[in-house]
Amino acid sequence: MTFAPTPIPSRTQYVLEAIKHAILTAQLSPGQALVETELAAQFGVSKTPVREALKTLAGTGLVVMSQYKGATVRLVDATMAREVYDVRLLLEPEALRRSITRKGSLDEAQEALERADSAQDKAERSLANRDFHRALYLPCGNPLLARMLDEVRDQAALVSTVAWSVIPTWEREAAEHREILRLALAADAAAAAGALHDHIASFVRRAFPDDVDGGDAA
């Protein structure tokens, strides 16, 4: 027997998405305290949906809950980035290869790439890039594989947000995205998967040049 996930109440979902967006667009900085009373006042809700939203965000790795410090935005360092992107290196190229082999639609990847190219700021670009990568692996035909990648998706976006604030490398990454999609649309599964692996593997090396020991991300 399978059980459907319990739906998140609408107010909690609203607060969750608002806090997530603020984190992934650098409106809330890594290490910043997330005070329930302040957030409740900001969103015009009680503390309960704020508390539930923070618990959910802690589960996705964007927020850290501490008995003494309360909730804070997760800090990003080379160790955290390597862990997140190591998972992506292992799973995402294979998921793309399967998407291409199954002739899955890549229309959403094309649309996300166009949004990224026309983005007015790095926040909009970061969210579009996040959608681009998801559109590549979602048609892989294995829901569990897609869910595993979804679980690290927000943390990967947080790493990108922090890295771009130091070294804005999105033009290079945009060119790599275009090449990955070109190969995928040409149905060259091996070359597309290889290009995606290289793209992921180069990101943390550029973002943390003094700390990375061979592993990487995008």
Side-chain angles (χ1 to χ4, degrees), residues 5-201:
T6 302
I8 298 176
S10 58
R11 287 188 179 182
T12 300
Q13 186 67 44
Y14 164 71
V15 173
L16 188 157
E17 293 300 331
I19 296 174
K20 179 192 292 188
H21 187 273
I23 292 173
L24 296 182
T25 56
Q27 296 173 53
L28 292 170
S29 304
Q32 184 170 339
L34 300 169
V35 182
E36 290 181 10
T37 53
E38 293 178 0
L39 292 169
Q42 177 182 339
F43 297 122
V45 298
S46 69
K47 290 197 298 183
T48 299
V50 173
R51 186 178 302 118
E52 293 305 313
L54 292 176
K55 287 180 181 177
T56 300
L57 290 169
T60 66
L62 289 183
V63 168
V64 175
M65 308 287 284
S66 168
Q67 180 179 353
Y68 303 104
K69 294 182 179 180
T72 57
V73 179
R74 183 171 185 177
L75 291 169
V76 173
D77 59 20
T79 299
M80 176 268 195
R82 278 200 303 271
E83 289 173 354
V84 170
Y85 281 97
D86 191 38
V87 172
R88 290 186 64 196
L89 275 172
L90 291 169
L91 300 180
E92 201 167 326
E94 174 60 18
L96 173 59
R97 187 190 67 77
R98 294 185 181 202
S99 294
I100 296 169
T101 301
R102 295 182 68 251
K103 297 181 170 60
S105 172
L106 297 173
D107 290 348
E108 290 188 13
Q110 179 69 61
E111 188 272 334
L113 186 59
E114 291 170 359
R115 276 194 288 119
D117 285 343
S118 62
Q120 299 301 306
D121 55 45
K122 69 178 182 181
E124 186 180 341
R125 186 179 295 107
S126 177
L127 294 172
N129 283 348
R130 187 166 165 264
D131 291 342
F132 171 78
H133 279 275
R134 189 169 194 260
L136 295 179
Y137 67 70
L138 206 57
C140 70
N142 185 327
L144 179 58
L145 177 56
R147 283 200 301 273
M148 291 172 71
L149 285 165
D150 274 349
E151 286 180 4
V152 298
R153 182 169 170 244
D154 288 343
Q155 294 177 63
L158 178 59
V159 173
S160 294
T161 298
V162 172
W164 281 359
S165 69
V166 179
I167 307 174
T169 58
W170 55 72
E171 289 185 357
R172 172 173 175 170
E173 284 137 31
E176 292 171 353
H177 283 176
R178 285 190 287 272
E179 177 62 9
I180 292 165
L181 184 58
R182 184 190 70 79
L183 292 168
L185 291 173
D188 192 337
L196 178 58
H197 183 282
D198 292 345
H199 169 68
I200 294 172

